[in-house]
Amino acid sequence: METAAKLVVIIALATSATGAIAQNAQHGSESTKEFKAADMNMMKNMDAAPYTGNPDMDFRTHVIPHHEGAIAMAKIALKYANDAETKRMAQKIIDDQEKEVADMQAWLKKNGH
């Protein structure tokens, strides 16, 4: 009987692990699609920003969409990540880079762009 009880526990653990793996694979697939979409959008927006020859302006106009892409990816990480450190890092990226985007946009506006 003891062997049968161990077998039941092993089967229960294996079934639970299989379910968790399937759930992680499903979330991985969903998160991958969202990460790829965010990355493609970031690249499109970076490519769309014209170069002016003014390094101060060019820096900001190209870093803004880069930061916006990082913010989008961090939001995806918050949605899907399991690791608390990943979630803390993602939130810090959102907080820091949203402020930096606002600062760069204010500078651009102040400087006629």
Side-chain angles (χ1 to χ4, degrees):
M1 190 66 164
E2 188 176 306
T3 302
K6 287 180 183 176
L7 185 57
V8 168
V9 169
I10 290 169
I11 291 170
L13 289 172
T15 302
S16 175
T18 300
I21 290 168
Q23 184 179 11
N24 282 342
Q26 180 183 6
H27 281 204
S29 176
E30 292 168 14
S31 66
T32 297
K33 287 178 191 174
E34 290 186 37
F35 280 128
K36 285 183 177 184
D39 185 50
M40 294 299 292
N41 190 54
M42 176 187 68
M43 295 304 291
K44 178 186 71 149
N45 291 338
M46 287 175 63
D47 286 343
Y51 286 97
T52 66
N54 178 330
D56 299 305
M57 188 101 35
D58 291 346
F59 170 74
R60 287 169 177 83
T61 59
H62 288 84
V63 171
I64 288 171
H66 183 270
H67 275 25
E68 290 170 339
I71 292 164
M73 287 186 268
K75 288 179 179 179
I76 296 164
L78 284 179
K79 181 177 176 181
Y80 292 104
N82 298 310
D83 180 65
E85 185 177 336
T86 300
K87 289 185 177 212
R88 277 192 300 278
M89 179 182 289
Q91 188 60 59
K92 183 171 177 5
I93 287 169
I94 293 166
D95 296 342
D96 291 350
Q97 293 196 12
E98 281 181 345
K99 182 185 180 321
E100 290 175 8
V101 167
D103 291 347
M104 287 185 280
Q105 288 171 333
W107 186 94
L108 288 167
K109 185 176 180 178
K110 176 182 162 188
N111 288 277
H113 182 72

